[in-house]
Amino acid sequence: MRKIVWAVVALLVPVLSVVARSQQPAGKDLSWAFPVINGALPAEESGPKNVPGSAKSYTPAQIDDLLNPPDWFPDEHPPAPPIVQKGHGAALACGSCHLMSGHGHPESAGMNGFTADYIVQQMADFKSGVRKDAARMNGIAKALSDEESRQAAEWFALLKPAPWTKVIEAETVPKTIVAQGRMRFVQPGGGTEPIGNRIITVPQDEGKARSRDPRSGFIAYVPPGSIAKGKALVETGGSGRTIACSICHGDALKGLGNVPRLAGLHPIYVARQLYLFKDGNRNGVDAQLMKKTVAQLTDEDIVFLAAYLGSLAP
């Protein structure tokens, strides 16, 4: 049976890679923002695992069960609705990718700090297909009832955002692979390479990230000077290339009504959304407000904006 499962995984990996590539703007290698599986980590021992501070234990197979994710610290969040903890069919449990803290992993998204109505609208957009995420969310949204989406949205809206990503400017970065869960890890063989015009995000602690520990965040390496350049773009619009973000997202960029927060979001998630708004893969009500805002942004501008926004306290 184990051989059959691994055979299925081997078949799925190329499919997921093709899906991830299909969302990138044509003619560009943006695999740093749109993760494409291109490697594997050493297999973990099959026995129970623990994370610091939790009395719970789970095996790697249980941790990787996307229909039944681990809940390491159940006392640190309100009682969750069924769909957050238990998936069904194509509807993966929300807590598997977004964690039971709502912080999420960079290849998915953080979910805390948004209003329930905003989340409900995004789920409706995924369900209708006007917002595209062929890797997962379109299929998940279609498999959920409207009531499940509403319950999950109301629960995530109760969770408070907290610092999760440490943004570091660097000329060189570790060589990396994209492996388990479409997450980027430091390459087992070591080595470094120039960062170029990329954001390279890796776990602060690889083992804890693989265990879906909701207390262990990420490091986002960004090109030197990115944070200051992003700050200038956010505050002034860069001589007409965009508009000051605070006009819609609030003075502290922590959201204004149902306009979402930007402060403290995963930098590669921010970059991904800017590209999707720009190339038309993200549509819907909010997208209409964003399209003209991002139309003149360069690839460098997108990196600068994502670096600065990710560096802010949420």
Side-chain angles (χ1 to χ4, degrees):
M1 176 61 73
R2 183 173 294 179
K3 290 182 179 179
I4 294 174
V5 170
W6 280 110
V8 172
V9 170
L11 288 172
L12 283 176
V13 166
V15 173
L16 290 174
S17 298
V18 169
V19 167
R21 286 193 182 95
S22 72
Q23 288 203 243
Q24 296 184 42
K28 297 182 180 183
D29 179 9
L30 297 175
S31 54
W32 58 268
F34 297 81
V36 177
I37 295 173
N38 63 3
L41 294 173
E44 298 179 287
E45 296 291 331
S46 60
K49 297 179 66 177
N50 304 93
V51 301
S54 174
K56 298 226 171 189
S57 64
Y58 299 93
T59 66
Q62 290 173 318
I63 290 169
D64 289 339
D65 182 356
L66 301 184
L67 297 177
N68 187 22
D71 190 359
W72 292 108
F73 303 102
D75 295 335
E76 293 186 357
H77 61 74
I83 190 55
V84 171
Q85 294 184 297
K86 303 284 185 183
H88 54 80
L92 306 181
C94 306
S96 59
C97 296
H98 303 291
L99 306 182
M100 295 303 294
S101 62
H103 290 317
H105 284 161
E107 73 281 357
S108 52
M111 292 289 288
N112 42 26
F114 303 119
T115 67
D117 285 344
Y118 173 77
I119 298 172
V120 166
Q121 182 60 58
Q122 301 315 302
M123 292 302 294
D125 289 347
F126 281 128
K127 194 168 191 172
S128 71
V130 296
R131 180 175 176 181
K132 294 182 176 19
D133 176 39
R136 280 200 176 138
M137 283 307 303
N138 293 120
I140 290 172
K142 289 177 182 177
L144 291 178
S145 69
D146 291 345
E147 180 58 24
E148 286 176 315
S149 292
R150 168 59 67 177
Q151 288 177 1
E154 291 177 348
W155 184 78
F156 279 116
L158 296 173
L159 305 182
K160 303 301 182 185
W164 189 238
T165 303
K166 185 176 182 180
V167 179
I168 298 176
E169 295 187 347
E171 291 184 355
T172 60
V173 294
K175 289 185 176 181
T176 57
I177 60 171
V178 177
Q180 176 188 12
R182 295 181 300 126
M183 198 185 312
R184 187 173 297 279
F185 297 93
V186 173
Q187 182 174 280
T192 61
E193 61 185 3
I195 191 168
N197 189 55
R198 301 179 299 166
I199 298 173
I200 299 298
T201 304
V202 295
Q204 293 183 17
D205 184 296
E206 179 181 297
K208 292 178 182 178
R210 293 181 75 175
S211 294
R212 302 180 191 276
D213 183 347
R215 292 181 176 177
S216 186
F218 292 80
I219 296 171
Y221 294 104
V222 302
S226 297
I227 295 174
K229 292 174 182 176
K231 184 176 188 291
L233 271 173
V234 164
E235 293 180 349
T236 70
S239 300
R241 294 201 303 280
T242 185
I243 62 172
C245 300
S246 61
I247 293 173
C248 297
H249 296 274
D251 289 340
L253 304 178
K254 296 185 179 182
L256 192 61
N258 287 332
V259 178
R261 75 174 172 99
L262 300 177
L265 293 180
H266 298 297
I268 65 168
Y269 174 79
V270 173
R272 201 157 55 239
Q273 300 316 303
L274 293 175
Y275 275 115
L276 294 175
F277 281 129
K278 189 172 180 179
D279 71 10
N281 273 316
R282 181 166 174 178
N283 292 289
V285 176
D286 58 347
Q288 304 315 310
L289 300 175
M290 285 297 300
K291 287 184 182 297
K292 289 184 179 180
T293 304
V294 304
Q296 302 303 316
L297 293 178
T298 66
D299 291 346
E300 289 79 12
D301 290 338
I302 287 175
V303 168
F304 299 156
L305 285 168
Y308 173 65
L309 295 171
S311 75
L312 299 176

